[in-house]
Amino acid sequence: MARPTELARLLADVARGAFPPPDGTVAFVPQPSPRDAGVIAFTAHSVVFADVDAGPDDREDPGVALRDLLPAGDLSAPLNPPFLSALTARTGRQVNNIDVLAVAGPLPGPPPGPALVETHDRSHPRIVRALRHRDGVRAWTVPGATLLLGRGVAGRWEAAVEVEPRARGRGLGRSLAVAARHLVPDGAPVWAQIAPGNAASLRAFLAAGFTPVGAEALLLPAPDPLPPDPYPYPYLQAPPAADRNGA
């Protein structure tokens, strides 16, 4: 079995309530895997997990240190645009989102609430998206909603819930977030990344017993560029030859 990475050990501590010291430090640690890179901000302590050189001897960009972009005393700087832009440029990745990072402990027994049906349909758009960022993905459905569990950043178990518009307002999001705590394997904690603007989802996870512990920005590999459109402005295209000749 592979040894836990530095980030995995830190997340395990946070899940049991042992946070890094709120001393204003920004720690740079190696990526836990080639897939996962980003920034996590806890209270007055941030962690950059990316395979970059943080110091002034960076040979890729001499004289420009990532730490130089972090003003002393600015606790928000690691998740602000100037630093994230420099980090994406250095890694060749792009910022996905800045999410609330929450965690909850496991619960015993089968999940209460509506009966869940496990699905193995890997063509579901939500599952397709999850497979890009997680390993060992499993998915369950109820009418109008889907729950996913998989191993994400540093091997942590992550839950995601999607409720269709027609099924909202009935507590399905909270029920599925609770179900994730019952279904997570091996008595492990379960994590959730929630867009701050998705207030309904945030309320659902809070009601299900998840505790916000920080904020997280993942850096995703840049998608392959699309081939250039030879006619990006169709209204500027020359008319067909017949039109030019007055036919």
Side-chain angles (χ1 to χ4, degrees):
M1 180 180 296
R3 295 178 60 187
T5 64
E6 187 172 351
L7 182 62
R9 292 192 295 270
L10 184 149
L11 291 172
D13 288 342
V14 169
R16 61 183 177 83
F19 289 85
D23 55 7
T25 297
V26 179
F28 286 77
V29 303
Q31 288 179 213
S33 71
R35 179 191 63 196
D36 300 324
V39 181
I40 302 177
F42 302 105
T43 300
H45 188 108
S46 294
V47 179
V48 179
F49 53 104
D51 291 338
V52 294
D53 188 343
D57 296 326
D58 189 339
R59 284 173 285 185
E60 292 182 12
D61 195 359
V64 178
L66 285 173
R67 288 192 185 276
D68 289 344
L69 301 175
L70 297 169
D74 186 350
L75 301 179
S76 65
L79 285 179
N80 277 350
F83 180 78
L84 289 178
S85 296
L87 189 58
T88 56
R90 197 70 61 89
T91 59
R93 293 173 173 243
Q94 60 186 23
V95 176
N96 180 34
N97 195 22
I98 298 179
D99 291 321
V100 174
L101 184 63
V103 65
L107 293 174
L116 297 168
V117 177
E118 187 165 7
T119 177
H120 301 282
D121 178 10
R122 290 308 193 240
S123 66
H124 187 290
R126 193 67 176 84
I127 298 175
V128 170
R129 189 158 67 248
L131 288 169
R132 296 180 189 144
H133 311 301
R134 301 182 179 103
D135 302 314
V137 174
R138 296 178 67 187
W140 294 263
T141 63
V142 297
T146 303
L147 165 66
L148 298 105
L149 275 175
R151 285 194 175 274
V153 173
R156 70 191 182 194
W157 283 102
E158 297 174 354
V161 171
E162 183 170 285
V163 180
E164 298 173 12
R166 62 181 175 83
R168 291 173 185 165
R170 291 186 275 167
L172 272 181
R174 179 187 57 78
S175 293
L176 293 185
V178 170
R181 301 180 62 188
H182 289 269
L183 294 168
V184 65
D186 306 323
V190 59
W191 297 78
Q193 301 135 300
I194 310 155
N198 190 346
S201 181
L202 186 56
R203 289 194 300 268
F205 276 92
L206 293 176
F210 282 73
T211 300
V213 294
E216 179 177 85
L218 294 184
L219 305 182
L220 306 183
D224 294 333
L226 295 173
D229 185 347
Y231 300 109
Y233 307 106
Y235 49 85
L236 295 181
Q237 294 179 32
D243 291 344
R244 292 199 299 270
N245 295 331

